[in-house]
Amino acid sequence: MSGAGAGGAMGQAGEVMAVFAQRPWAAVSDAEMAAGLAVPSMLSREESQLYHWLGRSVQGDGATVDLGAFAGGSAARLLTGLAQSGRAHHLHAYDHFTAGAAVWARFLAAEPVPEGDHNDILPLVRRYLAPWRDHVTLCPGDIRKTRWTGGEIEILAVDAAKGSEVADHIAAEFFPALVPGRSIVVQLDYLHAIQPWLCAQMVRLADHFVPLAQVAKDCVAFLCVSVPDAAALQAARTDDLTDGALMKRVREAAKWHGPMIADDRFKAMLRKIKDNPGVRLSWQMRQATGGGKTA
Ligand SMILES: C[S@@+](CC[C@H](N)C(=O)[O-])C[C@H]1O[C@@H](n2cnc3c(N)ncnc32)[C@H](O)[C@@H]1O
């Protein structure tokens, strides 16, 4: 991203797109992000590389926001990069910071596994992120109740939009703080069939965001080219869409993203919506009722 010259946000967009087309994060070695990799995470290796590279490439002193930080792994990967950026930096990590026994056993296996469904992982997160403690604010609680008052955001990493309501709230609260031509939004599970509200949201914001790259299987990075106003954010809402309206938006998104993203990813979303009428939470989407066909 560094090197995007002066000029309008759209002019910068061309430069940023050219940089992303080279996929420079692929060159990030495990050694470079070793401290970050030491923190448990659900991120894939390429997503980890992207996070590190994004942190390293910040151009200004805006905040980095990690929505859905879980045990701090995504934050740690961003922070290893930010620490190498030479810029003033601060990361705000949001999550419930709780884990049920099954998730704990799978992702935090090195820690003694408790029994309950809502075990506090904040003490673990504080320990894991101790190397960067002066550069991190932990924000525990429900993101749907969060207000953002922290000024400009340069990197917005979204891994908590597991329902349409929280996705709408994230857009309404955090997108107004983005900087045109500079801020990157990473939608981590954007192409996951059980989160169709994400592409339905972003396609309505197509005047404000440029898709930059698909990373690993499900992640898509965007550049903000203009800040959506309240009316645009209202028009992009997804929580109150009927299934038919949601599917229409998914089809629009397939056109918007072609040929960068394969059409069958959107077809899988359409099938999920058909199989799960009215469902707007990803964990409920998993319980498909049948083998519905693409609309
Ligand atoms: C896929 S995990 C995040 C993984 C993490 N980025 C990592 O590196 O391991 C999704 C996270 O979103 C959080 N989340 C989902 N909805 C949320 C909400 N409404 N408020 C706060 N956290 C939420 C969950 O607690 C969970 O930790």
Side-chain angles (χ1 to χ4, degrees), residues 29-174:
S29 69
D30 286 359
E32 285 173 294
M33 54 177 178
L37 291 181
V39 179
S41 175
M42 301 180 192
L43 264 55
S44 70
R45 180 158 189 277
E46 192 187 0
E47 289 161 352
S48 297
Q49 290 173 303
L50 174 73
Y51 274 46
H52 173 92
W53 176 80
L54 283 175
R56 209 167 70 186
S57 308
V58 285
Q59 298 173 61
D61 302 331
T64 296
V65 175
D66 186 18
L67 297 174
F70 182 52
S74 41
R77 286 148 178 76
L78 288 160
L79 284 158
T80 58
L82 287 163
Q84 296 171 25
S85 69
R87 297 280 185 177
H89 57 275
H90 199 84
L91 183 145
H92 304 255
Y94 290 79
D95 206 292
H96 292 297
F97 293 120
T98 60
V103 169
W104 187 304
R106 184 164 168 209
F107 294 104
L108 304 170
E111 310 286 345
V113 182
E115 284 179 2
D117 275 341
H118 298 285
N119 303 293
D120 182 9
I121 60 170
L122 257 182
L124 290 184
V125 179
R126 287 199 189 95
R127 169 153 55 85
Y128 292 147
L129 297 184
W132 307 278
R133 65 163 64 83
D134 295 339
H135 295 281
V136 181
T137 301
L138 299 179
C139 311
D142 191 333
I143 291 168
R144 290 172 301 178
K145 299 192 171 78
T146 297
R147 306 301 315 273
W148 173 255
T149 56
E152 291 181 347
I153 297 173
E154 183 156 354
I155 302 173
L156 180 63
V158 182
D159 196 7
K162 310 303 173 193
S164 53
E165 189 187 349
V166 65
D168 287 348
H169 184 81
I170 287 169
E173 202 59 39
F174 294 91

Side-chain angles (χ1 to χ4, degrees), residues 201-226:
Q201 173 187 79
M202 294 303 281
V203 72
R204 271 302 144 89
L205 297 173
D207 289 345
H208 306 279
F209 293 93
V210 172
L212 293 170
Q214 177 182 354
V215 177
K217 187 165 169 268
D218 296 323
C219 172
V220 178
F222 297 85
L223 175 71
C224 173
V225 292
S226 68

Side-chain angles (χ1 to χ4, degrees), residues 185-188 190-191 211 213-215 218-222 257 261:
V185 175
V186 181
Q187 295 276 13
L188 206 79
Y190 188 77
L191 297 176
Q214 177 182 354
V215 177
D218 296 323
C219 172
V220 178
F222 297 85
H257 283 297
I261 298 168

